[in-house]
Amino acid sequence: MKPEIIVVTAAYGRDRIGELGGQQAVVPIVAAAGADGIEIRRELCSEAEIQQLPALGKAISDAGLTAFYSVPEALYTEEGALNPRLASHLNEAQQLNARLIKYSLGHYQPGSDGSPLRDGLPLTLVVENDQTDCGTLAALNGYFSDNAPVGMTFDMGNWLWVGDDPIRAAGKLASFVSYVHVKAAAPTTDGWRAIALDEADNLWRETLALLPSDVPRGIEFPLEGDDLVAVTRHYVDLLREV
């Protein structure tokens, strides 16, 4: 069975999404490109759009797509407590009819209360390795080795931002991965920047080969060009085959 391909709206860039009229305007592009789903980014929603999540969810469903929801916050606060807005975010995700909600890990501490995450959530919750000190291999490995009740979004590129080796991270964490963010990156004088797969070396392929082949793969690298449907379709097809 080929993996589901999810297109992350942020791949089109904040400015382009603004020009198009918001994330709902991206839905037909993603559908026409043959993807299976779309990841809606909360940070790209205006307050008005947050109030219109049911309409966005309907547009996604009507287009034959699955919705994922990304919240730009940590699951654990600096004090090691669960995000106090968790219930509110879960409600938003349900309004969107999302199948999955994603956080960064944040400041998990051994013994932090995770019981609400074990009590039967209405959808899949995952934590991602982000580009902060909380997104290192040591932090994520420590969390998942402590009987974590949720799965992982493995962002292939973010390891580079925190100085970790994606190959080593895949070897350590593959068994916990339930969603992959496919991302290639190149070094610059100001740090790393995400690049399209056709411009990248083979690190992304080598990393992907070590991860589960039956979990959704999200496109989270720049999708640019005059014909966004064609550009998106090119990478949707590529990621279904590798």
Side-chain angles (χ1 to χ4, degrees):
M1 180 181 293
K2 295 185 185 299
E4 289 181 287
I5 307 301
I6 310 297
V7 178
V8 181
T9 58
Y12 297 108
R14 182 182 292 272
D15 290 344
R16 190 71 180 273
I17 288 174
E19 292 168 4
L20 292 169
Q23 290 178 92
Q24 187 163 331
V26 176
V27 172
I29 296 171
V30 173
D36 299 291
I38 185 168
E39 181 183 312
I40 298 299
R41 307 290 286 228
R42 194 180 194 279
E43 68 269 26
L44 296 180
C45 291
S46 65
E47 282 304 312
E49 288 169 330
I50 292 292
Q51 303 305 314
Q52 298 165 1
L53 287 175
L56 176 54
K58 184 177 187 303
I60 292 170
S61 178
D62 288 349
L65 299 172
T66 295
F68 286 10
Y69 192 46
S70 175
V71 176
E73 297 183 22
L75 183 60
Y76 287 92
T77 68
E78 291 185 4
E79 294 73 33
L82 281 173
N83 189 314
R85 289 157 49 85
L86 176 61
S88 176
H89 294 149
L90 288 172
N91 181 58
E92 291 173 2
Q94 288 182 282
Q95 291 181 53
L96 190 62
N97 197 29
R99 196 177 84 199
L100 175 148
I101 185 169
K102 179 180 70 66
Y103 286 87
S104 60
L105 176 59
H107 298 266
Y108 172 77
Q109 300 170 12
S112 292
D113 182 18
S115 57
L117 305 178
R118 293 185 172 91
D119 293 339
L121 295 174
L123 70 167
T124 299
L125 190 150
V126 294
V127 293
E128 179 182 31
N129 57 298
D130 64 5
Q131 298 174 8
T132 74
D133 290 343
C134 298
T136 63
L137 176 54
L140 272 294
N141 191 50
Y143 178 62
F144 285 107
S145 297
D146 199 20
N147 297 312
V150 302
M152 180 184 182
T153 294
F154 187 103
D155 188 299
M156 295 163 47
N158 282 354
W159 301 111
L160 300 171
W161 268 262
V162 298
D164 281 323
D165 177 6
I167 298 293
R168 183 165 180 267
K172 289 277 190 181
L173 299 170
S175 62
F176 306 110
V177 173
S178 49
Y179 180 31
V180 177
H181 267 182
V182 180
K183 181 191 292 177
T188 72
T189 55
D190 297 321
W192 294 90
R193 67 178 179 89
I195 59 173
L197 299 186
D198 287 350
E199 302 171 15
D201 60 21
N202 280 327
L203 180 59
W204 72 269
R205 289 179 182 270
E206 295 166 1
T207 306
L208 191 60
L210 297 174
L211 299 172
S213 60
D214 58 349
V215 303
R217 296 172 173 177
I219 294 176
E220 206 202 14
F221 48 83
L223 294 173
E224 300 171 332
D226 295 332
D227 189 339
L228 289 179
V229 172
V231 172
T232 306
R233 184 187 298 117
H234 167 68
Y235 287 115
V236 167
D237 292 344
L238 175 63
L239 289 185
R240 278 214 181 98
E241 297 303 325
V242 295

